[in-house]
């Protein structure tokens, strides 16, 4: 096989740039630790909408081609989609823990070709065996938001199942993909979770385990939040002016952390170029870290980090019934543009999934 069906873009733009083709280049194994996965289901995230419009293109081009050998625009035709659940079709010579026909799930790094295609090639340390208790559509809804939340809460925030009991955590923006996963993870680990969301999402997030809910449609949330006991960690999915007041909600001088997933890093490099963008970013984060450190709280940026080992731990929690998939809507492979429109509207109550191939469990 040399070609496959896929949704591609040939330039950055709005939904009109999405194009279906039966002649996308079939992925090949370039390194001995890679696998080819037949995609049964994918899911969309706000990142896919942003990348369709060119977000992060300067940094991702550097990652794809560090020596700048190819000319600009060489990423096209580009396949979007960061979540995959499917079956291993072929393994490189060094792949030890997976074999053909294994059911797997993964979050795909943003510089690689994505999952809105019949096949995708991945590094073996980016994939994990799929939870047995989930179908492919459910499994595809989890990896990107799970590895993003894991990176923010565990790698950056320092939380784990051993130190989370009775920790007070605030999630700003709790009803989207990362928020709904983070609530379940933290509750499984014994934390006390407070969430901000709209009034009509309150029952939804309480159903996932949130202990306390603050409605942002009822007025500025900083006022009701400031009346509560202080927090050990704040996870910010909203950004904007939340930084102005959110750090004041942390317990000072206890190692409490504010972790934001809304960072200017890729916007800086898109706007200023790689070198100047990275300098601007370093200056911004250093200034903010020092400014807040003198108040006894830690300011940190969280980033999406694909990780097979993190997904291994999450699979065990899924199969133990501690974490469930939160699907809002499922689309067929022919409806990818409609799926993008759905994600672009925002106000999600869970994930938007695309079924790519028939079959699988």
């Amino acid at each position: 096989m040399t070609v496959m069906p896929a949704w591609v873009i040939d330039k950055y733009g709005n939904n009109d740039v999405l194009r279906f083709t039966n002649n996308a280049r079939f992925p090949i194994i370039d390194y001995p630790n890679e696998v080819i996965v037949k995609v049964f289901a994918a899911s969309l995230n706000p990142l896919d909408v942003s990348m369709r419009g060119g977000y992060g293109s300067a940094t991702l081009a550097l990652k794809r081609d560090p020596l700048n050998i190819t000319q600009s625009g060489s990423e096209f035709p580009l396949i979007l989609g960061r979540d995959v659940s499917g079956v291993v079709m072929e393994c490189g010579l060094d792949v030890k823990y997976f074999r053909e026909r294994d059911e797997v799930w993964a979050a795909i790094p943003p510089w690689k070709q994505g999952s809105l295609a019949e096949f995708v090639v991945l590094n073996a340390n980016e994939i994990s065996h799929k939870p047995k208790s989930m179908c492919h559509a459910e499994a595809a809804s989890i990896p990107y938001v799970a590895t993003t939340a894991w990176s923010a809460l565990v790698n950056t925030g320092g939380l784990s199942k051993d130190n989370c009991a009775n920790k007070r955590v605030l999630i700003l923006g709790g009803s989207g993909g990362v928020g709904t996963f983070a609530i379940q993870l933290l509750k499984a680990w014994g934390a006390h979770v407070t969430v901000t969301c709209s009034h009509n999402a309150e029952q939804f997030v309480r159903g996932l385990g949130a202990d306390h809910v603050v409605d942002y449609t009822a007025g500025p949330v900083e006022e009701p939040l400031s009346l509560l006991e202080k927090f050990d960690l704040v996870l910010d999915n909203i950004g904007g002016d939340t930084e102005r007041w959110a750090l004041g909600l942390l317990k000072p001088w206890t190692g409490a952390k504010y972790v934001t997933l809304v960072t200017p890093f890729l916007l800086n490099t898109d706007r200023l170029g790689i070198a100047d963008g990275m300098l601007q970013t370093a200056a911004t984060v250093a200034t903010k870290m020092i400014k807040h450190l003198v108040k006894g709280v830690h300011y940190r940026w969280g980033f999406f980090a694909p990780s097979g080992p993190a997904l291994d731990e999450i699979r065990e929690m899924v199969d133990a019934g501690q974490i469930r998939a939160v699907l809002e809507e499922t689309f067929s492979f022919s409806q990818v543009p409609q799926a993008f429109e759905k994600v672009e509207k925002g106000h999600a109550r869970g994930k938007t999934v695309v079924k790519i191939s028939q079959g699988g469990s």
Side-chain angles (χ1 to χ4, degrees), residues 65 75 160 231 257 295:
D65 179 25
E75 67 265 37
S160 70
F231 296 95
K257 291 189 179 79
K295 298 176 190 168

Side-chain angles (χ1 to χ4, degrees), residues 140-197:
S141 73
I142 289 180
Y144 174 82
V145 293
T147 49
T148 302
W150 189 274
S151 169
L153 296 171
V154 179
N155 303 354
T156 309
L159 298 180
S160 70
K161 62 176 181 285
D162 303 318
N163 69 8
C164 232
N166 301 319
K167 283 257 169 76
R168 288 179 54 78
V169 180
L170 169 63
I171 301 173
L172 299 171
S175 64
V178 174
T180 53
F181 180 85
I183 293 168
Q184 296 182 83
L185 178 72
L186 291 164
K187 288 311 298 175
W189 286 351
H192 180 283
V193 179
T194 301
V195 169
T196 67
C197 64

Side-chain angles (χ1 to χ4, degrees), residues 40-44 116 137 327-343 345 351-358:
F40 281 122
S43 82
L44 293 183
L116 295 176
L327 269 63
E328 185 171 26
E329 200 167 344
T330 304
F331 292 84
S332 68
F333 196 26
S334 62
Q335 296 173 308
V336 163
Q338 292 95 307
F340 267 88
E341 282 170 14
K342 167 81 187 64
V343 175
K345 281 184 187 134
K351 291 298 298 287
T352 298
V353 171
V354 178
K355 289 188 170 177
I356 308 284
S357 308
Q358 296 306 314

